[in-house]
Amino acid sequence: MMALPYVQGKYLSSKVNQWTLLIGCLPLAYLAGGGGASLPLVERQVDEVLLTAAQTLLAVVLLLDLRFLPWKAGLLFVLFAVQFVLPGESARLALSWVYLALAVPLLVLRWRELRPTARALAGRIEGDPH
């Protein structure tokens, strides 16, 4: 049973890595494909990048304590599902603001967890067998 949190942590870590790498690599992929230094986006794409970045920020803030509790999973799922129920442009923008409005206060409350979390992600937890 002790391996289960470790496996869940690895799964969550890979998902957060995918989310953050997705946003960060778009301009690099465009440049490597022969595009210029800037990535031209239409308004819909800008909205989608903003929504993805806001989702990523909230997910990272929720995982700062390195615990993925059911309420956190439920919150992320409900917010993710809302974008399918309300697919319009204004809904995407409003949902991005909801993600940010939740992430910023949580980040302020969990500010002290940034350093220990960074140490944990670097593998520097005393007594951790992994």
Side-chain angles (χ1 to χ4, degrees):
M1 263 331 238
M2 289 301 287
L4 186 58
Y6 178 71
V7 171
Q8 288 175 343
K10 285 295 187 183
Y11 177 74
L12 292 173
S13 173
S14 69
K15 279 297 170 195
V16 171
N17 283 337
Q18 287 175 5
W19 283 346
T20 54
L21 286 174
L22 169 70
I23 292 297
C25 288
L26 283 175
L28 297 175
Y30 180 72
L31 182 63
S38 65
L39 179 62
L41 300 173
V42 297
E43 190 172 345
R44 167 80 189 237
Q45 293 168 324
V46 172
D47 293 345
E48 291 294 338
V49 169
L50 173 63
L51 181 59
T52 303
Q55 287 172 334
T56 301
L57 178 63
L58 180 59
V60 168
V61 170
L62 286 174
L63 294 174
L64 273 177
D65 61 359
L66 300 179
R67 289 174 179 76
F68 197 55
L69 302 173
W71 73 266
K72 295 177 183 180
L75 175 65
L76 290 174
F77 175 75
V78 167
L79 289 172
F80 182 75
V82 165
Q83 65 187 320
F84 297 107
V85 176
L86 304 170
E89 178 184 336
S90 60
R92 280 192 304 276
L93 188 58
L95 193 54
S96 298
W97 284 109
V98 169
Y99 277 109
L100 294 172
L102 291 170
V104 170
L106 284 173
L107 181 59
V108 170
L109 290 173
R110 297 172 178 207
W111 189 257
R112 291 184 176 165
E113 295 178 22
L114 284 174
R115 184 173 286 160
T117 301
R119 280 197 306 264
L121 292 174
R124 297 188 212 134
I125 301 176
E126 189 174 317
D128 183 19
H130 301 96

